[in-house]
């Protein structure tokens, strides 16, 4: 199985960089349709053209191959050696990098040594969830580009600061980011947990398909309110003005300490690159 997973991971990496999800394509078309600023419409059309060029040629949509981030959901009835799983998924990224001559974006943080594999110590990044009574493994691969990842924010607020401070922090973060994360963005927000969990929740939030809402009615209402507010900023496509600054705001939350109110913001650029596969016990793979 693990040898097969190398192939699965390689295919997911190339797919994520060349075949943008349908929800992202729909969001761009919808933004273009409601845009009144001529310049913003042109920039959104350039995005559409880049997608169509990639569809036609197989060339990656953006030169930034990102840091590979995996979100894994493991069924309780799916036996897996996690160490072997991680090695296989990392090998798949390395093989795809060599086979498709992808730019290697992953380096040592101090020496800047580049192994030319898009892997290294701590990379790929792995996030895990577990689901009861399931006999499959779900793999989502997100290549996280530096433009959006550099625009990440964390605040350890106090409960007395309350919801107004959360809203203000999110608005300030997006304003501070400006054009740097290549808007329109998906604004991922983490609420609660510890500092590290809060940031991970924000990252996970960016992986949700555009158009989905939190199952928690209060959180879903906050998502809509913040998205509406952000789109009054007119940062717009590529930060040069327009009606759509954010395609969506997604919030993931966890319970936290009585004396804490952590909030994190992680932005995903307009491409929203991700690819998924489900592996079942019989070894079959279904790509979505």
């Amino acid at each position: 199985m693990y040898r097969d997973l190398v192939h699965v991971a390689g295919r997911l990496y190339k797919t994520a960089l060349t075949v943008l999800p349908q929800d992202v394509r729909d969001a761009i078309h919808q933004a273009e349709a409601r845009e009144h600023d001529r310049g913003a419409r042109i920039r959104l059309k350039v995005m559409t053209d880049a997608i169509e060029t990639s569809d036609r040629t197989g060339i990656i949509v953006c030169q930034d191959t990102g840091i590979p981030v995996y979100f894994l959901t493991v069924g309780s009835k799916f036996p897996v050696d996690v160490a072997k799983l991680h090695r296989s998924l990392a090998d798949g990224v390395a093989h795809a990098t060599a086979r498709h001559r992808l730019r290697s974006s992953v380096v040592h943080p101090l020496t800047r040594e580049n192994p030319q594999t898009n892997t290294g110590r701590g990379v790929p990044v792995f996030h895990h969830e577990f689901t009861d009574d399931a006999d499959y493994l779900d793999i989502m691969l997100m290549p996280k580009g530096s433009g959006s990842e550099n625009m990440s924010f964390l605040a350890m607020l106090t409960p007395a600061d309350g919801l107004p401070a959360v809203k203000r922090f999110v608005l300030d973060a997006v304003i501070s980011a400006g054009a740097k994360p290549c808007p329109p963005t998906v604004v991922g927000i983490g609420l609660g947990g510890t500092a590290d969990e809060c940031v991970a929740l924000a990252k996970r939030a960016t992986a949700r398909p555009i158009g989905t809402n939190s199952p928690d009615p209060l959180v879903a209402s906050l998502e809509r309110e913040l998205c509406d507010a952000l789109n009054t900023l007119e940062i717009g496509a590529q930060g040069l003005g327009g009606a759509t600054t954010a395609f969506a705001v997604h919030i993931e939350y966890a319970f936290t300490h009585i004396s804490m109110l952590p909030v994190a913001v992680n932005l995903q650029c307009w491409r929203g690159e991700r690819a998924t596969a489900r592996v079942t016990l019989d070894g079959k793979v279904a790509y979505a």
Side-chain angles (χ1 to χ4, degrees):
M1 176 183 74
Y2 298 101
R3 183 177 299 176
D4 293 337
L5 285 175
V6 173
H7 170 74
V8 171
R11 175 169 170 174
L12 287 177
Y13 194 35
K14 180 59 161 48
T15 298
L17 293 169
T18 55
V19 184
L20 296 196
Q22 188 60 49
D23 59 284
V24 174
R25 298 166 184 254
D26 292 343
I28 296 170
H29 285 299
Q30 291 163 10
E32 188 178 0
R34 64 174 173 263
E35 183 58 67
H36 297 296
D37 183 272
R38 180 175 178 275
R41 285 200 308 273
I42 292 173
R43 293 187 292 278
L44 290 165
K45 180 63 166 57
V46 169
M47 296 174 187
T48 301
D49 290 344
I51 294 172
E52 292 174 351
T53 299
S54 182
D55 289 343
R56 187 174 66 255
T57 66
I59 296 173
I60 60 177
V61 179
C62 175
Q63 79 278 3
D64 189 351
T65 52
I67 289 183
V69 179
Y70 282 102
F71 296 93
L72 307 175
T73 302
V74 185
S76 59
K77 296 181 178 180
F78 189 92
V80 64
D81 182 323
V82 175
K84 288 183 179 179
L85 173 63
H86 285 192
R87 283 197 297 271
S88 297
L89 297 181
D91 286 347
V93 169
H95 289 174
T97 298
R99 178 182 179 184
H100 301 293
R101 299 182 180 180
L102 302 174
R103 187 186 83 178
S104 180
S105 303
V106 175
V107 299
H108 186 286
L110 297 180
T111 67
R112 314 310 287 182
E113 176 188 359
N114 190 329
Q116 300 299 327
T117 61
N118 277 311
T119 66
R121 182 181 177 87
V123 178
V125 178
F126 295 98
H127 299 279
H128 304 85
E129 287 187 348
F130 303 90
T131 183
D132 289 334
D133 202 31
D135 61 356
Y136 55 80
L137 166 68
D138 279 346
I139 305 170
M140 176 186 290
L141 174 56
M142 172 193 291
K144 195 63 167 65
S146 68
S148 57
E149 187 67 6
N150 279 332
M151 297 296 102
S152 300
F153 306 85
L154 171 68
M156 302 301 289
L157 305 177
T158 65
D161 294 324
L163 186 55
V166 172
K167 295 176 183 178
R168 183 167 57 250
F169 176 74
V170 173
L171 288 169
D172 287 347
V174 174
I175 291 171
S176 176
K180 295 175 184 176
C182 292
T185 59
V186 172
V187 180
I189 299 171
L191 287 177
T194 57
D196 55 332
E197 183 182 15
C198 189
V199 173
L201 288 169
K203 175 69 63 60
R204 188 177 296 277
T206 66
R208 268 176 39 200
I210 297 170
T212 60
N213 300 312
S214 170
D216 184 309
L218 178 62
V219 175
S221 176
L222 181 57
E223 289 175 336
R224 291 189 294 269
E225 179 184 350
L226 285 171
C227 192
D228 289 343
L230 292 174
N231 284 328
T232 66
L233 298 176
E234 296 190 354
I235 294 172
Q238 298 299 298
L240 297 173
T244 305
T245 297
F247 287 139
V249 171
H250 295 159
I251 300 174
E252 298 292 332
Y253 73 93
F255 278 36
T256 191
H257 191 277
I258 57 174
S259 63
M260 292 165 49
L261 180 54
V263 56
V265 173
N266 185 263
L267 301 177
Q268 177 63 301
C269 73
W270 69 268
R271 302 186 312 278
E273 295 168 333
R274 63 183 188 275
T276 61
R278 172 168 291 184
V279 183
T280 51
L281 276 178
D282 58 6
K284 293 181 178 178
V285 182
Y287 294 94

